[in-house]
Amino acid sequence: MAIVGSCVYDRKNQLIRPSQAAMCRARISLDLIGGATPTFDRDHVHVFVVTASGITVKQARQRAQAHMERFAARTDEITGYRRIATRRTQGRTLCNRNITITHEILYAVELPAWARGRRTPAPSMATRDVGA
């Protein structure tokens, strides 16, 4: 978990995606503090990283899916939660040749006044696959 910044809205009351600089700072803090548990501070944009590995691609995918389901179950209870983007990467660990799958989730926890009736997804809410 890492806080990227405060929620910022445009003139049409659409949530604005954080800058690349803010994302880089959050990623650095994730590396420094470990980022083991997600946070849900209101009126902030957060980033959380889920990593799973396995001997085979299938095993790594199953483990990653289980982690993502636990995260989704936890976010169902959070008023104002909104996923902005998810970036998925897949690679191989050099030391043991295991497959590693990582999901980087960018999300906001909006204030209740903003969250009511604003369930339309932002244009940038897409999942990208990076690497193979």
Side-chain angles (χ1 to χ4, degrees), residues 89-109:
T89 57
Q90 179 177 318
R92 189 173 291 275
T93 306
L94 295 176
C95 65
N96 59 12
R97 308 292 291 161
N98 282 355
I99 303 296
T100 302
I101 296 176
T102 303
H103 293 271
E104 182 183 86
I105 307 160
L106 180 66
Y107 62 97
V109 180

Side-chain angles (χ1 to χ4, degrees), residues 69 71-79 81:
E69 287 172 2
F71 179 77
R74 190 157 180 205
T75 61
D76 285 344
E77 303 168 0
I78 307 299
T79 303
Y81 170 82

